Amino acid sequence: MSTMPVLSDEELSPEAAAVFADIRATRKTDFVNNFWRVLAHDPVALKRTWESVRQVMAPGALDPLTKELLYVAASVANNCEYCIRSHTAAARAKGMTDAQFMELVAVVGMASETNRIATALQVPVDAAFRPATDTPFNQV
């Protein structure tokens, strides 16, 4: 259960309604999901977050599917069920296959395992992986 109510369109402040209008126009849909509807309790945070998401997820050097796959991976790492589900749906809409999803899950699982092993063992970073100007953290 949400810690704040999910707002209907009729309950939005004028500022939040304007952000919802931009979400609808940008995404070319009438659907505004519950994340935005709960965040609409704070119109300033809603606007700031929407502008950041819109900018980061816009076309760029990474294709839209890759960005969604990265979002899913980060959401798995952060244990955010909402974002896992919403960005998996978005990745599927951008063409992600079941095989790609399962491979993504395998990579996230493997990275989590080896990250924890490297962290627990405090494995020093190889010089070959550092730029020539990089200084190890403990020698600053």
Side-chain angles (χ1 to χ4, degrees), residues 46 68 75:
L46 171 68
E68 291 298 345
S75 299

Side-chain angles (χ1 to χ4, degrees), residues 11-92:
E11 297 172 300
L12 298 175
S13 69
E15 298 83 7
V19 175
F20 276 34
D22 190 39
I23 291 170
R24 288 181 169 115
T26 301
R27 293 185 168 171
K28 297 176 178 60
T29 181
D30 286 334
F31 178 71
V32 176
N33 67 46
N34 287 341
F35 175 79
W36 302 113
R37 291 184 177 282
V38 172
L39 192 54
H41 284 278
D42 183 346
V44 172
L46 171 68
K47 182 177 181 184
R48 180 186 68 244
T49 305
W50 168 244
E51 288 173 353
S52 292
V53 166
R54 188 177 58 197
Q55 180 182 9
V56 169
M57 299 305 282
L62 297 174
D63 65 88
L65 176 57
T66 299
K67 287 185 177 192
E68 291 298 345
L69 293 172
L70 289 167
Y71 216 115
V72 172
S75 299
V76 169
N78 288 309
N79 197 28
C80 180
E81 179 184 4
Y82 189 88
C83 293
I84 292 168
R85 291 184 180 275
S86 66
H87 288 278
T88 296
R92 287 191 187 284

